[in-house]
Amino acid sequence: MLTLDEQQKALRFRLAADKKNYVVGKHLSKLIVADFLRIKPEELKFHKAANGKPMVHGINFNIAHTSKYVFIAVSSADIGIDVEYVNTVFKYTDVLNNCFNKEEIEFVTESDNPLQHFYLLWTRKEALIKATGEGINNTFEHIPSLINKVHRNNTDFNIVSFNDDNRIVVSLAFSAETDRFNYWEYQV
């Protein structure tokens, strides 16, 4: 079900788990989007939205994966999702000053669980830039993560987050116009 480009990208992953998550995410997203449109997955015609995000027939979707989880969010408006496995040996302090503003750094460093709070803010930033199609750039510290409602790129977004027993952190950013959205969680 993967295109030739997607197959080639899958081959470039060094770790087998990353390759598996990529392939499963692509496969499931095509099944889900095709189901929304009530067509066969092979009939899907993807194109790029103005912000460069892939779309199909006005349906916005986003995929995130980590460890053994794949998350897929689908909406009629802009949507982004990010998931991170909480790596207890990751030296998050090495990236704080480059990716977070002063208030965010204080939120992380002064909390009772700095590592968990680092991942919370990181996933919120990632979900928002995935929703807007901006991508990570050298202004990551200017992407707001402490508030639940953000105005960015002429759109109002809501951001919600949750965790799974402090092992993974998931954040979802979606257009405030969205009156409902769907997401699926698959274990692979």
Side-chain angles (χ1 to χ4, degrees):
M1 194 179 302
L2 271 59
T3 66
L4 182 58
D5 286 345
E6 292 166 341
Q7 291 173 32
Q8 290 173 343
K9 183 175 180 177
L11 292 173
R12 290 193 297 266
F13 284 97
R14 287 181 284 161
L15 298 176
D18 291 339
K19 182 186 301 185
K20 180 180 179 183
N21 282 342
Y22 174 80
V23 169
V24 168
K26 287 291 184 184
H27 180 81
L28 291 176
S29 66
K30 289 179 180 188
L31 290 175
I32 290 167
V33 170
D35 187 55
F36 263 76
L37 295 172
R38 301 195 190 300
I39 63 175
K40 295 177 183 174
E42 55 271 14
E43 295 174 7
L44 288 173
K45 300 289 186 233
F46 291 91
H47 65 278
K48 300 276 185 184
N51 61 11
K53 286 179 55 176
M55 287 185 66
V56 62
H57 299 294
I59 292 179
N60 292 273
F61 62 95
N62 200 236
I63 305 167
H65 44 77
T66 189
S67 181
K68 60 183 178 179
Y69 296 96
V70 175
F71 286 82
I72 301 168
V74 180
S75 175
S76 59
D78 292 330
I79 193 161
I81 190 165
D82 189 50
V83 58
E84 296 288 339
Y85 174 76
V86 178
N87 181 348
T88 58
V89 297
F90 176 65
K91 295 186 188 304
Y92 67 92
T93 54
D94 292 348
V95 298
L96 278 177
N97 290 326
N98 294 328
C99 299
F100 295 92
N101 64 40
K102 182 182 176 205
E103 291 174 325
E104 294 167 338
I105 292 171
E106 288 174 4
F107 176 81
V108 170
T109 58
E110 295 176 8
S111 75
D112 58 343
N113 191 340
L115 183 63
Q116 187 75 23
H117 284 94
F118 167 83
Y119 280 107
L120 171 69
L121 298 188
W122 183 270
T123 59
R124 293 170 71 82
K125 286 175 180 270
E126 283 255 9
L128 184 58
I129 63 171
K130 289 172 81 175
T132 62
E134 294 174 74
I136 294 179
N137 57 37
N138 58 0
T139 61
F140 204 56
E141 73 274 8
H142 299 295
I143 296 171
S145 64
L146 289 172
I147 54 179
N148 295 328
K149 295 185 183 295
V150 174
H151 184 79
R152 194 150 182 95
N153 293 357
N154 299 317
T155 304
D156 291 323
F157 289 94
N158 295 319
I159 305 172
V160 295
S161 303
F162 56 95
N163 69 54
D164 174 35
D165 296 329
N166 295 326
R167 293 175 298 167
I168 63 164
V169 178
V170 181
S171 291
L172 181 70
F174 53 97
S175 168
E177 297 174 0
T178 305
D179 57 353
R180 80 176 196 144
F181 58 88
N182 300 289
Y183 72 92
W184 289 260
E185 176 186 348
Y186 290 93
Q187 285 188 319
V188 293

